[in-house]
Amino acid sequence: MTDENTHFGFQSVPLGEKQDRVNEVFRSVASRYDLMNDLMSAGLHRLWKDALVSTLRPPRDRTFRHLDVAGGTGDVAFRILDAGGPQTHVTVLDINGEMLKVGAERAGHRYDGRIDFVEANAEELPLESNTYDAYTIAFGIRNVPRIDAALREAHRVLRPGGRFLCLEFSKVDVPVLDRIYDAYSFNVIPRMGRMVTGDAESYQYLVESIRRFPPPAAFARMIEEAGFRRVTYRQLTAGVVALHSGWKI
């Protein structure tokens, strides 16, 4: 693979094409994205996101500015707002307008003045440096064409002392279970996607993209290379997902 190419699932594609292809995937599944997450993970994605927010621990007694990237439907943002105090404000940023539309409709007027939705690219955030207390990205970093650029931008917009948290699929590390997981991923999930959303190809891509993502230790090194310190990760549910953490010091 050359510098001008990247992967889209198991395909090699020109770097400039990946974002458009990813956008089309999420446009196709936006309206039923959260339903499919429930079905695919048997509801476990809710526990994983709860673990993310528990690790974040947004304060209840002071101003807290948070940025949730690739969080268009608001699933993580709403949890943070519920866990934090009245001075918690979340900016939900996503490159896909259809996903943001779903999030805004779900939010309604529940969090007026405490949430906003921004359509933008994680690789080039239209946000001031040293602004946010924390940055989260859940199941979105693997869809970014230039992951290193997105990590550098995360570091830039965080204030000193700010925290980066990333929840992403990982590699199952339990013998036998890993083969069962692969069989389920490649044989069941695309068919489920066709039944629920009418789109098997998008879920085939999402399954393949998980296999192409760096293992946790390698991704942790990428986080460090972006400037973060005290970088750690912990694997959840036998390694199905990993929760990565880093601090801007």
Side-chain angles (χ1 to χ4, degrees):
M1 187 177 295
T2 69
D3 291 342
E4 289 75 35
N5 286 275
T6 187
H7 55 80
F8 179 79
F10 289 160
Q11 302 176 50
S12 176
V13 299
L15 189 59
E17 284 186 16
K18 178 170 179 175
Q19 192 63 70
D20 288 340
R21 291 195 180 201
V22 169
N23 288 350
E24 185 53 41
V25 166
F26 287 98
R27 268 194 294 270
S28 174
V29 304
S31 64
R32 297 197 173 184
Y33 181 72
D34 290 318
L35 171 61
M36 273 297 293
N37 282 344
D38 274 329
L39 294 173
M40 289 187 301
S41 71
L44 284 172
H45 79 102
R46 296 173 180 269
L47 299 179
W48 298 330
K49 291 169 183 172
D50 287 345
L52 171 69
V53 176
S54 294
T55 302
L56 177 66
R57 289 185 294 181
R60 301 192 63 85
D61 57 353
R62 62 177 173 84
T63 300
F64 186 75
R65 294 193 65 185
H66 186 84
L67 178 63
D68 183 47
V69 175
T73 65
D75 219 25
V76 170
F78 302 155
R79 284 172 165 80
I80 293 169
L81 289 165
D82 290 339
Q87 297 180 78
T88 297
H89 183 280
V90 178
T91 295
V92 180
L93 186 142
D94 202 299
I95 200 169
N96 193 292
E98 292 300 314
M99 297 285 278
L100 289 167
K101 190 182 300 181
V102 171
E105 289 172 354
R106 290 181 63 197
H109 295 289
R110 278 189 297 163
Y111 305 107
D112 281 352
R114 299 179 63 208
I115 190 170
D116 58 349
F117 295 86
V118 176
E119 185 173 346
N121 191 329
E123 298 175 7
E124 299 178 72
L125 298 174
L127 305 169
E128 294 183 6
S129 301
N130 305 310
T131 299
Y132 292 90
D133 295 291
Y135 173 121
T136 52
I137 181 166
F139 306 117
I141 196 76
R142 74 182 189 282
N143 297 311
V144 176
R146 301 173 181 85
I147 293 174
D148 55 346
L151 292 173
R152 288 194 299 270
E153 280 290 88
H155 188 271
R156 180 183 67 80
V157 300
L158 282 170
R159 65 168 181 79
R163 191 174 195 181
F164 168 85
L165 287 171
C166 175
L167 190 63
E168 190 51 88
F169 287 105
S170 184
K171 181 176 175 58
V172 174
D173 56 5
V174 176
V176 180
L177 182 59
D178 57 351
R179 294 196 295 274
I180 294 172
Y181 179 61
D182 276 351
Y184 171 76
S185 297
F186 286 100
N187 296 304
V188 177
I189 288 178
R191 294 176 186 174
M192 192 184 297
R194 180 182 291 113
M195 291 173 58
V196 176
T197 70
D199 184 350
E201 289 75 16
S202 290
Y203 284 94
Q204 182 70 30
Y205 156 72
L206 291 172
V207 169
E208 292 177 0
S209 69
I210 293 169
R211 300 311 186 276
R212 295 303 302 265
F213 191 70
F219 184 53
R221 287 193 294 273
M222 294 177 69
I223 296 171
E224 289 179 337
E225 288 167 1
F228 290 99
R229 297 295 175 260
R230 293 167 55 193
V231 174
T232 60
Y233 67 87
R234 61 187 174 106
Q235 292 175 281
L236 309 174
T237 317
V240 173
V241 301
L243 178 55
H244 292 264
S245 171
W247 297 83
K248 180 173 178 176
I249 296 175

